[in-house]
Amino acid sequence: MGRLIAWCAALFLTLGAVPVAAHTEDGYDLWLRYRPLPADIQTRDRARAMAVVFDVDRHDIPTLKAVDEIERALEGMLGLAIPTYSQAVQANAIVLGTSAEPRIKALNLPLGQLGTEGYVIRSATIDGKPVTVVAGNSGVGVLYGSFALIQHLQRGLGLDRLDIVSAPKLKLRLLNHWDNLDRTVERGYAGQSIWDWWKLPDFRDPRYTDYARANASIGINGTVLNNVNAKADSLTAPYIAKAAALADVFRPYGIKVYLSARWSSPIEIGGLKTADPLDPQVVAWWKAKADEIYRAIPDFGGFLVKANSEGQPGPQDYKRNHAEGANMLAAAVRPHGGIIMWRAFVYQHENPEDRAKQAYDDFKPLDGKFADNVIVQVKNGAIDFQPREPFHPLFGAMPKTQLMMEFQITKEYLGMATHLVYLGPLYEEVLQADTFAKGKGSTVARVIEGALDGYKLTGMAGVANIGTDRDWSGSTFNQANWFVYGRMAWNPEASAKQVAGEWSEMTFGPDPVVTPAVVNIMTASREAVVNYMTPLGLAHLMATSHHYGPGPWVKDLARPEWNPVYYHKADRNGIGYDRTRTGSDAVAQYAPEVARMFADVKTTPDRDLLWFHHVGWDDRLKSGKTLWDELVARYTLGVGEVADMHRAWRTLAPHIDRERFAKTDAFLSIQQKEAQWWRDASLAYWASVSGRPLPAGETAPAKTLPEYEAISWPHEPGR
Ligand code: BDP
């Protein structure tokens, strides 16, 4: 007995000595985890990271942040408390500096073409000592380079013979927060808004700094703080002070703040009777407002505007066009170096024209009419952030107007927080699409890079998926969407698959078993969601307003284009939206090469088929199957693909920390259940319209159509 007590006591002492953190891996650290690297890698890398050397006298704040970050990373990954030195170069040190410093200058690095944000990382020799140099033309360049160096270490690639040169291809790399002043987030599925407006400007949540670190680590250099469906209050003095406090936190990380501006602000908070952009009092009001903001935030980026769209006020209320509206605001911010991002997401229910055509119809005639500090922000597709859409016809059609890309990072139409959908392939597909604007190879990427038309201002915006959840984005894999967005904003030619691998290595460690499996899951996930939600070019079949779950049967909402039946046009004979000459002729908005391809059912890729064509249920597709059989097969395939993703994830149980493993596992179970629901509910409906039986071997839906129609989600997030 005594022996047993002694044994228990010993066991207790032993266990008690093991440090148990409350949250070992709850996702808060994102891809900046800096956990210990495998022992052999640590030994190798330590020898190359003996010190951090930088020129302290220059007091360059971003460089100091870079030093902090490298210290933090090396301590975490290599267990080193690194000495930092202001000047003297140590052998095997990491040397940080800008091109203004003599010893960096002496290295003749290729910094000339890299602008203010590019960087060089190179294994070099200074004063006869081997070092690793991280150099840029500004402190922010050095900061970006330092993050790149850290990422190199995180991925287990070491510090030998480095020669990395990188510069962003786009100037504006922005997040758009659809965050409201009461902390709700429109289409937000990761908790509340991280902006605690109520406690700002006095309380600066430390989380704001981590937000800035995460963004800087992937090159994001601006953030629009408030919802595009904006409240005028955000332009009042108290809110300007709050935004200024955030700007102070972000500035050292190279991040500027921007605000969404409500068009009718001069009336709502300015006491004017009109918001007509040509009214001198309105012009003066905006100028004074801009001056006031710049007094508080000298490097304020500018305004983002949603006007005359979905009930928002705008210049058209005064019979002025979008350019007249945008240019008036542009003049107000111009003396301060500010810009206007004017959204092209416009459509009106009074307009009987195909919704997919309306933005082009509004904007194309205005090409060349926008001021040079205006950039028109265009969603990737002509409808709205669907699992798949062909590229927006405005890309390539506005040679005299600067256009920027708007992607959604939050997954409004793609299963919100719980469905695992890696958006890299979606972004890549759009960016690599060929507009043929200036012949073959005129990809959307090259349009927004300004390579085709010489735009001076270039950019990309991503609707953020960030909230107060511990893991920031509502799931581990949603973090990858934030990450790949940053990477593609830096380089629109980046490969989604390559980025997935980098993210996996940084998020789960450089484990040769984990990385390929995770990359496979990620790259398969986008096609899976297309298959179980909207295969073969279908779109906008989601349930009303929250857009979660299937609702292809919805037909009685007030505005025609709110109803899924508007988009699929299924009837006894077939399904799909005829956008050729016999229909809305939306194809004519594309360059002739693209228009010809989409106009012919035979040359339209299956993936876009029902976007452009109304196809008979019994028509044969490229596979040889009838449309009906192919449609059913795709839904079933999608469900199977999710099951495969789930099985693959389960094989990783021994390799992944418990907390993150279990959460993803549970979410994949939800996704599996809901992919099945999507398939079954959709097929129950399509069968009722087509009058056709399911092909042999296909399982019948578990419930009846009325039962699916009766499912509702009254308290869903994100509204
Ligand atoms: C749609 C969203 C809506 C946004 C709108 C927009 O459903 O909440 O306000 O886009 O982009 O996707 O303005």
Side-chain angles (χ1 to χ4, degrees), residues 178 186-187 229 306 310 343 345 379 384 412 547:
W178 286 359
E186 183 155 341
R187 313 307 178 183
N229 296 318
K306 172 177 178 176
E310 301 187 324
R343 296 179 85 227
F345 178 69
K379 286 188 183 181
D384 194 9
E412 171 183 356
H547 302 147

Side-chain angles (χ1 to χ4, degrees), residues 557-569:
L557 301 176
R559 295 173 53 156
E561 77 288 349
W562 283 352
N563 294 290
V565 296
Y566 171 97
Y567 298 94
H568 64 67
K569 307 226 181 303

Side-chain angles (χ1 to χ4, degrees), residues 108-173:
N108 281 321
L109 300 171
L111 285 162
Q113 302 300 311
L114 301 185
T116 51
E117 297 176 305
Y119 59 82
V120 174
I121 305 174
R122 185 176 280 187
S123 306
T125 307
I126 296 181
D127 298 343
K129 296 172 182 130
V131 295
T132 304
V133 173
V134 180
N137 292 313
S138 73
V140 173
V142 174
L143 180 64
Y144 288 153
S146 300
F147 275 114
L149 180 88
I150 292 169
Q151 290 165 14
H152 211 69
L153 286 165
Q154 280 178 289
R155 299 176 53 209
L157 302 175
L159 293 180
D160 277 323
R161 285 191 292 280
L162 291 180
D163 189 6
I164 301 172
V165 180
S166 186
K169 291 205 173 111
L170 302 180
K171 289 210 173 78
L172 306 166
R173 305 179 299 278

Side-chain angles (χ1 to χ4, degrees), residues 325-395:
N327 293 348
M328 183 275 290
L329 290 179
V333 296
R334 176 185 296 282
H336 308 283
I339 61 149
I340 302 301
M341 293 165 290
W342 193 269
R343 296 179 85 227
F345 178 69
V346 298
Y347 64 98
Q348 258 144 19
H349 64 293
E350 303 84 21
N351 186 349
E353 185 54 278
D354 177 2
R355 174 177 167 188
K357 290 179 70 178
Q358 295 187 25
Y360 180 101
D361 287 349
D362 258 14
F363 280 82
K364 174 70 183 166
L366 300 176
D367 188 24
K369 300 269 189 321
F370 290 91
D372 63 2
N373 61 331
V374 174
I375 186 162
V376 173
Q377 182 168 313
V378 184
K379 286 188 183 181
N380 60 276
I383 299 288
D384 194 9
F385 299 139
Q386 297 303 297
R388 171 166 277 131
E389 288 183 55
F391 71 90
H392 201 300
L394 277 173
F395 291 113

